[in-house]
Amino acid sequence: MQPIQIHDVVANEFGQVNEYIVSQLSSDIPLIEQIGYYIISNGGKRLRPLLVLLAARASAELDTSKLDQAIQMATIIEFIHTSTLLHDDVVDESDMRRGKKTANEEWGNAPSVLVGDFLYSRAFQIMVDVGSMRCMSILAKTTNIIAEGEVQQLINCGDPDTTEESYLKVIQYKTAKLFEGAALCGAVIAEASAEHQEALRQYGMYIGTAFQLIDDVMDYTSTAEEMGKSVGDDLAEGKPTLPLIYTMKHGQKDAIERVRQAILTGGLEQLDTIINDVQSCGAIEYTQQKAQEQADLAIDVIATLPDSDYKTALIALANASVKRRN
């Protein structure tokens, strides 16, 4: 199953989500709408709102009321995600995302941060309309943990002694947690059983981790055009991702020193050589294997869900998370 077919099983709902997203970007401040439209329409895959819809549909038949709530929840998740992107690009001083200038490059840091705040607050406004205290509790905790993950990543930047365990904790906090919240909220809205809610929560965490692991692989295997951002961005920021951590543990002595120095200084002077170091020591294969393990766990954990096109799409989404090129 290709990604377009994954979306096809909830195509109608997905269209409604996109319409609702646009309606909720409305503001009396033109700059908010301008930046909001720019970042929201900038070619994202909308995987997290897709996950809300698939999790809800895979859990139960949805009446009109619950379907409306699922569409609202998908929008909430996308707004939270987009807000984190705006803030991340400022923190990382990024100039390109999804093949276009970042909002901070186009308008400056202050407007980007403030529009990110607007999207966060609008997400919680919609959450009140949904009226689910359970979902509100889930997402309040989720956003808090994402912030903790971002701070921990900032602490790890420039630290070549970051362990694999510490790295995995960061990506589970800053990336996988929103996937987890998306899947769990979809199940909660559908009033799934406690067993199925837990299964979908774990599913989201596993595919979110796999997604980020592959994202980190692509920094050393893909072109800027494929990724939609500059090659070597993680290295430039001194981020000790798993391919680099593995290289420092299993690479040749000179490769280990090169990677350590690059993380310490956050430079790209030896990018081509370091890419070769990472590719030649087995770091790419190791990280891909770890991602595949997470995808396999995601598929295993939803085995108890009733068979349906939506469950099939969830399985396909887990597989697609480790086979993507962008």
PDB file of all heavy atoms in Angstrom, residues 45-48 81 98 167 171 175-176 179 204-218 287 290-292 294-295 317-318 320-324 326:
ATOM      1  N   LYS A  45       2.997  16.285   5.273  1.00  0.00           N
ATOM      2  CA  LYS A  45       2.267  15.039   5.009  1.00  0.00           C
ATOM      3  C   LYS A  45       1.051  14.880   5.907  1.00  0.00           C
ATOM      4  O   LYS A  45       0.242  13.990   5.695  1.00  0.00           O
ATOM      5  CB  LYS A  45       3.232  13.850   5.184  1.00  0.00           C
ATOM      6  CG  LYS A  45       4.332  13.804   4.129  1.00  0.00           C
ATOM      7  CD  LYS A  45       5.300  12.655   4.377  1.00  0.00           C
ATOM      8  CE  LYS A  45       6.284  12.968   5.471  1.00  0.00           C
ATOM      9  NZ  LYS A  45       7.222  14.057   5.138  1.00  0.00           N
ATOM     10  N   ARG A  46       0.945  15.711   6.958  1.00  0.00           N
ATOM     11  CA  ARG A  46      -0.184  15.640   7.891  1.00  0.00           C
ATOM     12  C   ARG A  46      -0.308  14.232   8.503  1.00  0.00           C
ATOM     13  O   ARG A  46      -1.416  13.700   8.669  1.00  0.00           O
ATOM     14  CB  ARG A  46      -1.498  16.001   7.204  1.00  0.00           C
ATOM     15  CG  ARG A  46      -1.532  17.379   6.542  1.00  0.00           C
ATOM     16  CD  ARG A  46      -2.323  18.359   7.366  1.00  0.00           C
ATOM     17  NE  ARG A  46      -2.905  19.416   6.559  1.00  0.00           N
ATOM     18  CZ  ARG A  46      -2.267  20.517   6.179  1.00  0.00           C
ATOM     19  NH1 ARG A  46      -0.994  20.680   6.514  1.00  0.00           N
ATOM     20  NH2 ARG A  46      -2.864  21.438   5.468  1.00  0.00           N
ATOM     21  N   LEU A  47       0.818  13.626   8.844  1.00  0.00           N
ATOM     22  CA  LEU A  47       0.783  12.268   9.390  1.00  0.00           C
ATOM     23  C   LEU A  47       0.087  12.212  10.743  1.00  0.00           C
ATOM     24  O   LEU A  47      -0.628  11.243  11.033  1.00  0.00           O
ATOM     25  CB  LEU A  47       2.203  11.717   9.529  1.00  0.00           C
ATOM     26  CG  LEU A  47       2.944  11.394   8.236  1.00  0.00           C
ATOM     27  CD1 LEU A  47       4.325  10.823   8.552  1.00  0.00           C
ATOM     28  CD2 LEU A  47       2.142  10.415   7.385  1.00  0.00           C
ATOM     29  N   ARG A  48       0.275  13.216  11.559  1.00  0.00           N
ATOM     30  CA  ARG A  48      -0.296  13.174  12.908  1.00  0.00           C
ATOM     31  C   ARG A  48      -1.809  13.311  12.886  1.00  0.00           C
ATOM     32  O   ARG A  48      -2.498  12.523  13.552  1.00  0.00           O
ATOM     33  CB  ARG A  48       0.397  14.230  13.781  1.00  0.00           C
ATOM     34  CG  ARG A  48       1.893  13.920  13.985  1.00  0.00           C
ATOM     35  CD  ARG A  48       2.717  15.175  14.265  1.00  0.00           C
ATOM     36  NE  ARG A  48       4.142  14.912  14.236  1.00  0.00           N
ATOM     37  CZ  ARG A  48       4.884  14.882  13.110  1.00  0.00           C
ATOM     38  NH1 ARG A  48       4.312  15.086  11.924  1.00  0.00           N
ATOM     39  NH2 ARG A  48       6.175  14.650  13.167  1.00  0.00           N
ATOM     40  N   HIS A  81       1.639  20.536  16.331  1.00  0.00           N
ATOM     41  CA  HIS A  81       2.830  20.164  15.565  1.00  0.00           C
ATOM     42  C   HIS A  81       3.418  21.373  14.836  1.00  0.00           C
ATOM     43  O   HIS A  81       4.634  21.615  14.881  1.00  0.00           O
ATOM     44  CB  HIS A  81       2.481  19.065  14.561  1.00  0.00           C
ATOM     45  CG  HIS A  81       3.584  18.724  13.627  1.00  0.00           C
ATOM     46  ND1 HIS A  81       4.830  18.316  14.053  1.00  0.00           N
ATOM     47  CD2 HIS A  81       3.641  18.736  12.265  1.00  0.00           C
ATOM     48  CE1 HIS A  81       5.609  18.083  13.010  1.00  0.00           C
ATOM     49  NE2 HIS A  81       4.909  18.342  11.921  1.00  0.00           N
ATOM     50  N   ARG A  98      10.933  21.720   4.183  1.00  0.00           N
ATOM     51  CA  ARG A  98      10.072  21.236   3.101  1.00  0.00           C
ATOM     52  C   ARG A  98      10.347  21.958   1.785  1.00  0.00           C
ATOM     53  O   ARG A  98       9.448  22.229   1.000  1.00  0.00           O
ATOM     54  CB  ARG A  98       8.594  21.379   3.481  1.00  0.00           C
ATOM     55  CG  ARG A  98       8.201  20.563   4.725  1.00  0.00           C
ATOM     56  CD  ARG A  98       6.823  20.936   5.223  1.00  0.00           C
ATOM     57  NE  ARG A  98       6.449  20.202   6.430  1.00  0.00           N
ATOM     58  CZ  ARG A  98       5.468  20.571   7.243  1.00  0.00           C
ATOM     59  NH1 ARG A  98       4.766  21.660   6.987  1.00  0.00           N
ATOM     60  NH2 ARG A  98       5.192  19.864   8.313  1.00  0.00           N
ATOM     61  N   TYR A 167      19.652   9.709  23.850  1.00  0.00           N
ATOM     62  CA  TYR A 167      19.148  10.132  22.538  1.00  0.00           C
ATOM     63  C   TYR A 167      17.738   9.602  22.306  1.00  0.00           C
ATOM     64  O   TYR A 167      16.842  10.340  21.867  1.00  0.00           O
ATOM     65  CB  TYR A 167      20.100   9.637  21.450  1.00  0.00           C
ATOM     66  CG  TYR A 167      19.487   9.585  20.072  1.00  0.00           C
ATOM     67  CD1 TYR A 167      19.392  10.727  19.279  1.00  0.00           C
ATOM     68  CD2 TYR A 167      18.987   8.393  19.549  1.00  0.00           C
ATOM     69  CE1 TYR A 167      18.820  10.686  18.018  1.00  0.00           C
ATOM     70  CE2 TYR A 167      18.414   8.338  18.293  1.00  0.00           C
ATOM     71  CZ  TYR A 167      18.336   9.487  17.530  1.00  0.00           C
ATOM     72  OH  TYR A 167      17.769   9.441  16.294  1.00  0.00           O
ATOM     73  N   ILE A 171      14.076  11.683  21.545  1.00  0.00           N
ATOM     74  CA  ILE A 171      13.180  11.584  20.392  1.00  0.00           C
ATOM     75  C   ILE A 171      11.812  11.035  20.793  1.00  0.00           C
ATOM     76  O   ILE A 171      10.798  11.370  20.174  1.00  0.00           O
ATOM     77  CB  ILE A 171      13.786  10.782  19.221  1.00  0.00           C
ATOM     78  CG1 ILE A 171      13.966   9.311  19.568  1.00  0.00           C
ATOM     79  CG2 ILE A 171      15.092  11.396  18.777  1.00  0.00           C
ATOM     80  CD1 ILE A 171      14.388   8.464  18.367  1.00  0.00           C
ATOM     81  N   THR A 175       9.395  13.970  19.620  1.00  0.00           N
ATOM     82  CA  THR A 175       8.735  13.571  18.372  1.00  0.00           C
ATOM     83  C   THR A 175       7.654  12.523  18.599  1.00  0.00           C
ATOM     84  O   THR A 175       6.499  12.714  18.224  1.00  0.00           O
ATOM     85  CB  THR A 175       9.767  13.023  17.367  1.00  0.00           C
ATOM     86  OG1 THR A 175      10.737  14.031  17.089  1.00  0.00           O
ATOM     87  CG2 THR A 175       9.091  12.604  16.066  1.00  0.00           C
ATOM     88  N   ALA A 176       8.012  11.417  19.226  1.00  0.00           N
ATOM     89  CA  ALA A 176       7.072  10.298  19.337  1.00  0.00           C
ATOM     90  C   ALA A 176       5.876  10.630  20.226  1.00  0.00           C
ATOM     91  O   ALA A 176       4.783  10.086  20.028  1.00  0.00           O
ATOM     92  CB  ALA A 176       7.790   9.058  19.868  1.00  0.00           C
ATOM     93  N   PHE A 179       2.834  11.785  18.250  1.00  0.00           N
ATOM     94  CA  PHE A 179       2.235  10.646  17.550  1.00  0.00           C
ATOM     95  C   PHE A 179       1.415   9.822  18.543  1.00  0.00           C
ATOM     96  O   PHE A 179       0.292   9.401  18.245  1.00  0.00           O
ATOM     97  CB  PHE A 179       3.323   9.764  16.939  1.00  0.00           C
ATOM     98  CG  PHE A 179       3.905  10.262  15.649  1.00  0.00           C
ATOM     99  CD1 PHE A 179       4.947  11.183  15.639  1.00  0.00           C
ATOM    100  CD2 PHE A 179       3.426   9.801  14.425  1.00  0.00           C
ATOM    101  CE1 PHE A 179       5.491  11.635  14.445  1.00  0.00           C
ATOM    102  CE2 PHE A 179       3.954  10.249  13.230  1.00  0.00           C
ATOM    103  CZ  PHE A 179       4.995  11.171  13.240  1.00  0.00           C
ATOM    104  N   GLY A 204       1.321   4.601  18.413  1.00  0.00           N
ATOM    105  CA  GLY A 204       1.769   5.946  18.093  1.00  0.00           C
ATOM    106  C   GLY A 204       3.182   6.206  18.557  1.00  0.00           C
ATOM    107  O   GLY A 204       3.989   6.826  17.833  1.00  0.00           O
ATOM    108  N   MET A 205       3.519   5.755  19.750  1.00  0.00           N
ATOM    109  CA  MET A 205       4.869   5.948  20.273  1.00  0.00           C
ATOM    110  C   MET A 205       5.896   5.215  19.420  1.00  0.00           C
ATOM    111  O   MET A 205       6.956   5.759  19.084  1.00  0.00           O
ATOM    112  CB  MET A 205       4.933   5.468  21.722  1.00  0.00           C
ATOM    113  CG  MET A 205       6.266   5.760  22.409  1.00  0.00           C
ATOM    114  SD  MET A 205       7.423   4.370  22.295  1.00  0.00           S
ATOM    115  CE  MET A 205       6.582   3.181  23.377  1.00  0.00           C
ATOM    116  N   TYR A 206       5.563   3.984  19.008  1.00  0.00           N
ATOM    117  CA  TYR A 206       6.512   3.199  18.211  1.00  0.00           C
ATOM    118  C   TYR A 206       6.741   3.814  16.827  1.00  0.00           C
ATOM    119  O   TYR A 206       7.882   3.932  16.382  1.00  0.00           O
ATOM    120  CB  TYR A 206       6.018   1.759  18.065  1.00  0.00           C
ATOM    121  CG  TYR A 206       6.092   0.928  19.312  1.00  0.00           C
ATOM    122  CD1 TYR A 206       5.023   0.092  19.684  1.00  0.00           C
ATOM    123  CD2 TYR A 206       7.207   0.944  20.135  1.00  0.00           C
ATOM    124  CE1 TYR A 206       5.080  -0.689  20.837  1.00  0.00           C
ATOM    125  CE2 TYR A 206       7.267   0.177  21.293  1.00  0.00           C
ATOM    126  CZ  TYR A 206       6.197  -0.640  21.633  1.00  0.00           C
ATOM    127  OH  TYR A 206       6.256  -1.406  22.773  1.00  0.00           O
ATOM    128  N   ILE A 207       5.667   4.205  16.137  1.00  0.00           N
ATOM    129  CA  ILE A 207       5.904   4.735  14.787  1.00  0.00           C
ATOM    130  C   ILE A 207       6.510   6.139  14.842  1.00  0.00           C
ATOM    131  O   ILE A 207       7.260   6.527  13.944  1.00  0.00           O
ATOM    132  CB  ILE A 207       4.654   4.716  13.878  1.00  0.00           C
ATOM    133  CG1 ILE A 207       3.606   5.731  14.304  1.00  0.00           C
ATOM    134  CG2 ILE A 207       4.070   3.345  13.732  1.00  0.00           C
ATOM    135  CD1 ILE A 207       2.670   6.086  13.162  1.00  0.00           C
ATOM    136  N   GLY A 208       6.216   6.897  15.892  1.00  0.00           N
ATOM    137  CA  GLY A 208       6.847   8.199  16.046  1.00  0.00           C
ATOM    138  C   GLY A 208       8.348   8.070  16.237  1.00  0.00           C
ATOM    139  O   GLY A 208       9.135   8.851  15.687  1.00  0.00           O
ATOM    140  N   THR A 209       8.756   7.058  17.006  1.00  0.00           N
ATOM    141  CA  THR A 209      10.190   6.804  17.209  1.00  0.00           C
ATOM    142  C   THR A 209      10.833   6.360  15.904  1.00  0.00           C
ATOM    143  O   THR A 209      11.917   6.830  15.534  1.00  0.00           O
ATOM    144  CB  THR A 209      10.391   5.739  18.296  1.00  0.00           C
ATOM    145  OG1 THR A 209       9.741   6.164  19.505  1.00  0.00           O
ATOM    146  CG2 THR A 209      11.874   5.516  18.572  1.00  0.00           C
ATOM    147  N   ALA A 210      10.167   5.446  15.192  1.00  0.00           N
ATOM    148  CA  ALA A 210      10.693   4.981  13.899  1.00  0.00           C
ATOM    149  C   ALA A 210      10.822   6.146  12.924  1.00  0.00           C
ATOM    150  O   ALA A 210      11.833   6.267  12.206  1.00  0.00           O
ATOM    151  CB  ALA A 210       9.772   3.912  13.315  1.00  0.00           C
ATOM    152  N   PHE A 211       9.824   7.007  12.893  1.00  0.00           N
ATOM    153  CA  PHE A 211       9.822   8.150  11.990  1.00  0.00           C
ATOM    154  C   PHE A 211      11.045   9.038  12.236  1.00  0.00           C
ATOM    155  O   PHE A 211      11.741   9.439  11.299  1.00  0.00           O
ATOM    156  CB  PHE A 211       8.531   8.949  12.197  1.00  0.00           C
ATOM    157  CG  PHE A 211       8.365  10.106  11.262  1.00  0.00           C
ATOM    158  CD1 PHE A 211       7.727   9.947  10.044  1.00  0.00           C
ATOM    159  CD2 PHE A 211       8.830  11.374  11.601  1.00  0.00           C
ATOM    160  CE1 PHE A 211       7.567  11.016   9.174  1.00  0.00           C
ATOM    161  CE2 PHE A 211       8.676  12.440  10.739  1.00  0.00           C
ATOM    162  CZ  PHE A 211       8.043  12.268   9.525  1.00  0.00           C
ATOM    163  N   GLN A 212      11.333   9.332  13.507  1.00  0.00           N
ATOM    164  CA  GLN A 212      12.461  10.204  13.815  1.00  0.00           C
ATOM    165  C   GLN A 212      13.799   9.523  13.539  1.00  0.00           C
ATOM    166  O   GLN A 212      14.745  10.171  13.077  1.00  0.00           O
ATOM    167  CB  GLN A 212      12.403  10.662  15.271  1.00  0.00           C
ATOM    168  CG  GLN A 212      13.480  11.668  15.634  1.00  0.00           C
ATOM    169  CD  GLN A 212      13.390  12.943  14.814  1.00  0.00           C
ATOM    170  OE1 GLN A 212      12.347  13.590  14.792  1.00  0.00           O
ATOM    171  NE2 GLN A 212      14.466  13.306  14.130  1.00  0.00           N
ATOM    172  N   LEU A 213      13.889   8.228  13.786  1.00  0.00           N
ATOM    173  CA  LEU A 213      15.124   7.503  13.482  1.00  0.00           C
ATOM    174  C   LEU A 213      15.446   7.585  11.989  1.00  0.00           C
ATOM    175  O   LEU A 213      16.598   7.817  11.602  1.00  0.00           O
ATOM    176  CB  LEU A 213      15.008   6.046  13.928  1.00  0.00           C
ATOM    177  CG  LEU A 213      15.111   5.800  15.439  1.00  0.00           C
ATOM    178  CD1 LEU A 213      14.655   4.377  15.778  1.00  0.00           C
ATOM    179  CD2 LEU A 213      16.527   6.030  15.950  1.00  0.00           C
ATOM    180  N   ILE A 214      14.431   7.410  11.164  1.00  0.00           N
ATOM    181  CA  ILE A 214      14.655   7.507   9.712  1.00  0.00           C
ATOM    182  C   ILE A 214      14.967   8.945   9.320  1.00  0.00           C
ATOM    183  O   ILE A 214      15.791   9.189   8.425  1.00  0.00           O
ATOM    184  CB  ILE A 214      13.437   6.968   8.941  1.00  0.00           C
ATOM    185  CG1 ILE A 214      13.270   5.463   9.202  1.00  0.00           C
ATOM    186  CG2 ILE A 214      13.586   7.231   7.442  1.00  0.00           C
ATOM    187  CD1 ILE A 214      14.476   4.607   8.821  1.00  0.00           C
ATOM    188  N   ASP A 215      14.347   9.905   9.970  1.00  0.00           N
ATOM    189  CA  ASP A 215      14.668  11.306   9.723  1.00  0.00           C
ATOM    190  C   ASP A 215      16.149  11.566   9.967  1.00  0.00           C
ATOM    191  O   ASP A 215      16.811  12.274   9.199  1.00  0.00           O
ATOM    192  CB  ASP A 215      13.821  12.199  10.633  1.00  0.00           C
ATOM    193  CG  ASP A 215      13.516  13.545  10.012  1.00  0.00           C
ATOM    194  OD1 ASP A 215      13.075  13.571   8.851  1.00  0.00           O
ATOM    195  OD2 ASP A 215      13.720  14.568  10.685  1.00  0.00           O
ATOM    196  N   ASP A 216      16.680  10.966  11.023  1.00  0.00           N
ATOM    197  CA  ASP A 216      18.093  11.151  11.351  1.00  0.00           C
ATOM    198  C   ASP A 216      19.006  10.413  10.371  1.00  0.00           C
ATOM    199  O   ASP A 216      20.110  10.885  10.080  1.00  0.00           O
ATOM    200  CB  ASP A 216      18.357  10.682  12.788  1.00  0.00           C
ATOM    201  CG  ASP A 216      17.642  11.553  13.812  1.00  0.00           C
ATOM    202  OD1 ASP A 216      17.283  12.702  13.482  1.00  0.00           O
ATOM    203  OD2 ASP A 216      17.431  11.091  14.943  1.00  0.00           O
ATOM    204  N   VAL A 217      18.548   9.292   9.856  1.00  0.00           N
ATOM    205  CA  VAL A 217      19.298   8.585   8.814  1.00  0.00           C
ATOM    206  C   VAL A 217      19.404   9.440   7.567  1.00  0.00           C
ATOM    207  O   VAL A 217      20.474   9.543   6.938  1.00  0.00           O
ATOM    208  CB  VAL A 217      18.622   7.234   8.469  1.00  0.00           C
ATOM    209  CG1 VAL A 217      19.118   6.686   7.131  1.00  0.00           C
ATOM    210  CG2 VAL A 217      18.886   6.214   9.573  1.00  0.00           C
ATOM    211  N   MET A 218      18.289  10.071   7.189  1.00  0.00           N
ATOM    212  CA  MET A 218      18.259  10.830   5.939  1.00  0.00           C
ATOM    213  C   MET A 218      19.220  12.009   5.940  1.00  0.00           C
ATOM    214  O   MET A 218      19.638  12.477   4.884  1.00  0.00           O
ATOM    215  CB  MET A 218      16.834  11.305   5.646  1.00  0.00           C
ATOM    216  CG  MET A 218      15.894  10.163   5.289  1.00  0.00           C
ATOM    217  SD  MET A 218      14.316  10.722   4.588  1.00  0.00           S
ATOM    218  CE  MET A 218      13.705  11.746   5.909  1.00  0.00           C
ATOM    219  N   THR A 287      20.880   2.111  12.522  1.00  0.00           N
ATOM    220  CA  THR A 287      19.769   3.009  12.828  1.00  0.00           C
ATOM    221  C   THR A 287      18.506   2.565  12.095  1.00  0.00           C
ATOM    222  O   THR A 287      17.402   2.596  12.653  1.00  0.00           O
ATOM    223  CB  THR A 287      20.126   4.454  12.462  1.00  0.00           C
ATOM    224  OG1 THR A 287      21.373   4.807  13.094  1.00  0.00           O
ATOM    225  CG2 THR A 287      19.050   5.419  12.926  1.00  0.00           C
ATOM    226  N   LYS A 290      17.045  -0.315  13.967  1.00  0.00           N
ATOM    227  CA  LYS A 290      16.321   0.142  15.155  1.00  0.00           C
ATOM    228  C   LYS A 290      14.943   0.701  14.778  1.00  0.00           C
ATOM    229  O   LYS A 290      13.956   0.480  15.476  1.00  0.00           O
ATOM    230  CB  LYS A 290      17.131   1.206  15.900  1.00  0.00           C
ATOM    231  CG  LYS A 290      18.359   0.664  16.611  1.00  0.00           C
ATOM    232  CD  LYS A 290      17.965  -0.256  17.747  1.00  0.00           C
ATOM    233  CE  LYS A 290      19.142  -0.797  18.511  1.00  0.00           C
ATOM    234  NZ  LYS A 290      18.728  -1.707  19.609  1.00  0.00           N
ATOM    235  N   ALA A 291      14.893   1.427  13.667  1.00  0.00           N
ATOM    236  CA  ALA A 291      13.612   1.961  13.195  1.00  0.00           C
ATOM    237  C   ALA A 291      12.665   0.833  12.807  1.00  0.00           C
ATOM    238  O   ALA A 291      11.466   0.874  13.118  1.00  0.00           O
ATOM    239  CB  ALA A 291      13.841   2.903  12.016  1.00  0.00           C
ATOM    240  N   GLN A 292      13.186  -0.176  12.117  1.00  0.00           N
ATOM    241  CA  GLN A 292      12.355  -1.308  11.708  1.00  0.00           C
ATOM    242  C   GLN A 292      11.810  -2.054  12.918  1.00  0.00           C
ATOM    243  O   GLN A 292      10.651  -2.505  12.914  1.00  0.00           O
ATOM    244  CB  GLN A 292      13.160  -2.254  10.818  1.00  0.00           C
ATOM    245  CG  GLN A 292      12.338  -3.377  10.208  1.00  0.00           C
ATOM    246  CD  GLN A 292      11.262  -2.866   9.262  1.00  0.00           C
ATOM    247  OE1 GLN A 292      11.563  -2.187   8.287  1.00  0.00           O
ATOM    248  NE2 GLN A 292       9.998  -3.172   9.550  1.00  0.00           N
ATOM    249  N   GLN A 294      11.035  -0.747  15.749  1.00  0.00           N
ATOM    250  CA  GLN A 294       9.926   0.056  16.267  1.00  0.00           C
ATOM    251  C   GLN A 294       8.674  -0.118  15.410  1.00  0.00           C
ATOM    252  O   GLN A 294       7.565  -0.242  15.933  1.00  0.00           O
ATOM    253  CB  GLN A 294      10.338   1.532  16.314  1.00  0.00           C
ATOM    254  CG  GLN A 294      11.454   1.852  17.291  1.00  0.00           C
ATOM    255  CD  GLN A 294      11.033   1.677  18.742  1.00  0.00           C
ATOM    256  OE1 GLN A 294      10.022   2.225  19.183  1.00  0.00           O
ATOM    257  NE2 GLN A 294      11.794   0.904  19.490  1.00  0.00           N
ATOM    258  N   ALA A 295       8.852  -0.131  14.099  1.00  0.00           N
ATOM    259  CA  ALA A 295       7.706  -0.323  13.197  1.00  0.00           C
ATOM    260  C   ALA A 295       7.074  -1.693  13.408  1.00  0.00           C
ATOM    261  O   ALA A 295       5.842  -1.831  13.407  1.00  0.00           O
ATOM    262  CB  ALA A 295       8.142  -0.153  11.752  1.00  0.00           C
ATOM    263  N   LEU A 317       1.010   2.351   7.320  1.00  0.00           N
ATOM    264  CA  LEU A 317       1.655   3.569   7.799  1.00  0.00           C
ATOM    265  C   LEU A 317       2.916   3.237   8.591  1.00  0.00           C
ATOM    266  O   LEU A 317       3.944   3.926   8.459  1.00  0.00           O
ATOM    267  CB  LEU A 317       0.677   4.368   8.665  1.00  0.00           C
ATOM    268  CG  LEU A 317       1.174   5.710   9.210  1.00  0.00           C
ATOM    269  CD1 LEU A 317       1.576   6.640   8.071  1.00  0.00           C
ATOM    270  CD2 LEU A 317       0.104   6.351  10.090  1.00  0.00           C
ATOM    271  N   ALA A 318       2.855   2.179   9.394  1.00  0.00           N
ATOM    272  CA  ALA A 318       4.042   1.763  10.137  1.00  0.00           C
ATOM    273  C   ALA A 318       5.159   1.347   9.192  1.00  0.00           C
ATOM    274  O   ALA A 318       6.333   1.718   9.359  1.00  0.00           O
ATOM    275  CB  ALA A 318       3.699   0.608  11.087  1.00  0.00           C
ATOM    276  N   ALA A 320       5.473   2.302   6.041  1.00  0.00           N
ATOM    277  CA  ALA A 320       5.898   3.474   5.277  1.00  0.00           C
ATOM    278  C   ALA A 320       6.826   4.374   6.084  1.00  0.00           C
ATOM    279  O   ALA A 320       7.685   5.059   5.515  1.00  0.00           O
ATOM    280  CB  ALA A 320       4.674   4.269   4.816  1.00  0.00           C
ATOM    281  N   SER A 321       6.695   4.360   7.403  1.00  0.00           N
ATOM    282  CA  SER A 321       7.511   5.229   8.233  1.00  0.00           C
ATOM    283  C   SER A 321       9.000   4.901   8.150  1.00  0.00           C
ATOM    284  O   SER A 321       9.843   5.764   8.417  1.00  0.00           O
ATOM    285  CB  SER A 321       7.047   5.167   9.701  1.00  0.00           C
ATOM    286  OG  SER A 321       7.370   3.895  10.286  1.00  0.00           O
ATOM    287  N   VAL A 322       9.322   3.657   7.772  1.00  0.00           N
ATOM    288  CA  VAL A 322      10.734   3.273   7.670  1.00  0.00           C
ATOM    289  C   VAL A 322      11.212   3.158   6.228  1.00  0.00           C
ATOM    290  O   VAL A 322      12.394   2.853   5.996  1.00  0.00           O
ATOM    291  CB  VAL A 322      11.006   1.934   8.410  1.00  0.00           C
ATOM    292  CG1 VAL A 322      10.790   2.101   9.891  1.00  0.00           C
ATOM    293  CG2 VAL A 322      10.121   0.814   7.874  1.00  0.00           C
ATOM    294  N   LYS A 323      10.342   3.412   5.273  1.00  0.00           N
ATOM    295  CA  LYS A 323      10.730   3.286   3.862  1.00  0.00           C
ATOM    296  C   LYS A 323      10.714   4.628   3.145  1.00  0.00           C
ATOM    297  O   LYS A 323      10.968   4.684   1.935  1.00  0.00           O
ATOM    298  CB  LYS A 323       9.803   2.303   3.147  1.00  0.00           C
ATOM    299  CG  LYS A 323       9.984   0.870   3.608  1.00  0.00           C
ATOM    300  CD  LYS A 323       9.043  -0.079   2.893  1.00  0.00           C
ATOM    301  CE  LYS A 323       9.375  -1.536   3.207  1.00  0.00           C
ATOM    302  NZ  LYS A 323       9.258  -1.852   4.638  1.00  0.00           N
ATOM    303  N   ARG A 324      10.440   5.715   3.852  1.00  0.00           N
ATOM    304  CA  ARG A 324      10.301   7.014   3.216  1.00  0.00           C
ATOM    305  C   ARG A 324      11.653   7.607   2.841  1.00  0.00           C
ATOM    306  O   ARG A 324      12.685   7.244   3.413  1.00  0.00           O
ATOM    307  CB  ARG A 324       9.522   7.966   4.109  1.00  0.00           C
ATOM    308  CG  ARG A 324      10.215   8.270   5.413  1.00  0.00           C
ATOM    309  CD  ARG A 324       9.279   8.913   6.427  1.00  0.00           C
ATOM    310  NE  ARG A 324      10.016   9.246   7.647  1.00  0.00           N
ATOM    311  CZ  ARG A 324      10.649  10.405   7.810  1.00  0.00           C
ATOM    312  NH1 ARG A 324      10.624  11.317   6.872  1.00  0.00           N
ATOM    313  NH2 ARG A 324      11.312  10.644   8.920  1.00  0.00           N
ATOM    314  N   ASN A 326      11.531  11.203   2.330  1.00  0.00           N
ATOM    315  CA  ASN A 326      11.379  12.618   2.668  1.00  0.00           C
ATOM    316  C   ASN A 326      10.418  12.748   3.849  1.00  0.00           C
ATOM    317  O   ASN A 326       9.916  11.779   4.350  1.00  0.00           O
ATOM    318  CB  ASN A 326      10.878  13.429   1.461  1.00  0.00           C
ATOM    319  CG  ASN A 326       9.572  12.913   0.894  1.00  0.00           C
ATOM    320  OD1 ASN A 326       8.675  12.483   1.611  1.00  0.00           O
ATOM    321  ND2 ASN A 326       9.475  12.928  -0.431  1.00  0.00           N
TER     322      ASN A 326
END
